[in-house]
Amino acid sequence: MLDHLPNQSPEPRSVWTASTQMPLYGSLRDDVRTDVCVIGAGMAGLTTAYLLTQAGRSGVILEDGDLVSGETSATTAHLSNAIDARYLEIERLHGERGSRLTASSHTAAINTIEDIVRKEKIECDFERLDGYLFAGPNDGAETLREELAAVHRAGLTAVEMPRICASAVPRGRACLRFPDQAQFHPLKYLAGLARVITRDGGRIYARTHADQVSGGALAQVRAGEYLVSADAIVVATNTPINDVFAVHTKQAAYTSYVIGMRVAKGSVEKALYWDTERPYHYVRLHQMVDSAGPYDLIIVGGEDHKTGQAHDTEERHSRLRSWAQERFEVVGSEQFAWSGQVMETIDGLAFIGRNPSDKDNVFIATGDCGMGLTHGTIAGLLLRDLILGRENAWTDLYDPSRKTLRAAGRFVKENMNVARHYAQWLAHSSVATTEEISPGSGAVLDRGLRKCAVYRDESGEIHERSATCPHLGCLVDWNPGEKTWDCACHGSRFDRFGKVLHGPANRDLAE
Ligand SMILES: Cc1cc2nc3c(=O)[nH]c(=O)nc-3n(C[C@H](O)[C@H](O)[C@H](O)COP(=O)(O)OP(=O)(O)OC[C@H]3O[C@@H](n4cnc5c(N)ncnc54)[C@H](O)[C@@H]3O)c2cc1C
Ligand code: FES
C-alpha cells in the first residue's frame, strides 16, 4: 500500500506520522492486576507485549502519549545487522564471542519482524534489500577491508566488498554489501502489532503517565490515582524513567536530523546506505503516491550532536539537503524535515534485562545506539525469555549491569561532559528581562538565585517554569528549532510549557 499525505502540518512530523492514522486507546480508569505491565508503547514495549501475549501471559501497556508517539515515530526504519558502532569496535569491546552474538541477535531480530509480518498479515511495506556501507571522503578501502574481516569473524560471511557498488554510492568509493537487510513502515507495523495484542487479550492504555515503579514479588506501577499490580514490569520508555543514576552514567542522548525529498523515478537504486563519516549519513527510499502516481522519496539522516548542546536545527537540515542534492536527482523542494533522539551507550550495544538498582521483577530496555528497531525486537525476545524463566544466550551481552572495561575512556568522557554542564548554574542568563524574549521563543532568566525557563507564546503571553531539570538538577536550555526545553546532561526534553516529553526526567518542569 503506497502512502498518500492526508494531513501535512507545519509541525515537524516524520513521513511515518504524516502518512498513518494510528489506532486510539483510552486511558487507565481503574486499578488493574496483570501478569506483565509494560510501560511505553514504542518498538521495544509493543514487541515485548506482543511476544508475551503470544506466550500466554496477560499484559497491560501504559503509554504517556498516544500509540508510538515517542522516538519510534522519528526513525528512518533501516532494519540491519550492519551495527552502527561497527564490528571492529564491537569486537574490541565485547570480544569475538560478543561480536558473533551481536550479529546473530540483530539477524534474529530482522527475521522475527519478517515472521510477525507474515503470520499476522501486517501490511507495512516490509521488504528485504541490500545494505551498503561506503567510505566517507576521508576513509579509504583499507578501513572497509578491516571492517569486512571483523564482520566475517562475527559470522556474517555473506557480506562482501564488491568491485561495483550500488549507483547511490559516490563513484570511486569502496563499499561493503550486506545482503538480507530490510526496511518497513514502522508505524503501520506497530499499529498492526497493537491490534493483535488487544485481539489476544492485551490491554493498551494511552495518555496514561506511569509516575512510579516498584519491584517486589508483586511489582507495582502507580499511574496517577490508579495502581497496576503485576508479576513483572517492563520499562520500555526509551530511556528508563525508574532508574535515577546507574544506567544514565553509561549512555548519552544524541539528536539526529532527517529530511525527505522526492527524487527522479528509478534514479536511486533501492537499498539501505550508510557512510563512514562521523557523524555518519544514513539513507533509504520510501515509495509515496500523489495524483500523478507513485514516486520515490529519499530519506537522508545524520548531523547528530549531543542533545542540548547545539540549537541550529535549520542549518543541520540545510546541510543534509545540500548533501542529498549533490548526490541525487532531487525533484522539487523538501517534503519532510524532522529530528529525534538516540541513546548511545558507551560500548555500542543496548541495555536489556533486569534493572540494575531494582532486580526484583523490573526489567528495562534502553540504549538503542541508533539501532532501536532491531534492539527493540531483541528486547522483546530476551525479556520474554527472562520473564518466563527461559535461558537466553544474549543475557550477559545485553545485561544493563555490565561493566565494559574497555569502554572506560568513553565513560569518563561522557560524564566529564555532564559535569561541565552543572557549571551553567554559575553563568548569567543570556537575557535579562522577559521583554527581550520574542513571541514564539524562550530563554532562561535569572530570578535571584533561581533560574527560570520562560516562554513567550505567539500571542505574547509569558509562561514561566523552573529551569531545573527534575532528573538530577542540571539546567535546561531553549531549543529554538524544536521549541523545546532540552537538558544537556542526560537528554531529558520538555515541551515549551514544561511538560516532560522524554526521560529520564519523569516529571514536568516545576511551576
Ligand atoms: C532520526 C532517527 C533515526 C533512526 N533510525 C533508525 C534506523 O534506521 N534503524 C533502527 O533500528 N533504529 C533507528 N533509530 C532508533 C529507533 O528508531 C529508536 O531507538 C526506537 O524506535 C526507540 O523505541 P523505544 O520503544 O525504545 O522508544 P519510544 O518509541 O520512544 O517509546 C517509548 C514510549 O514510552 C512512552 N513513555 C515515556 N515515559 C513514560 C511514562 N512515564 N509513562 C508512560 N509512558 C511513557 C513514550 O511516550 C514513548 O511512546 C532512529 C532514531 C532516530 C531518532
Ligand atoms: S536529564 Fe539528567 S539532569 Fe536533566
Side-chain angles (χ1 to χ4, degrees), residues 422 469 471-474 487 489-492 504:
Y422 281 98
C469 174
H471 176 228
L472 284 174
C474 260
C487 180
C489 284
H490 311 100
S492 291

Side-chain angles (χ1 to χ4, degrees), residues 81 100 103 148-161 177-179:
N81 57 12
R100 293 182 82 86
L148 181 63
V151 167
H152 285 169
R153 288 193 293 279
L156 299 177
T157 48
V159 178
E160 56 167 6
M161 191 167 182
R177 187 180 72 85
F178 288 75

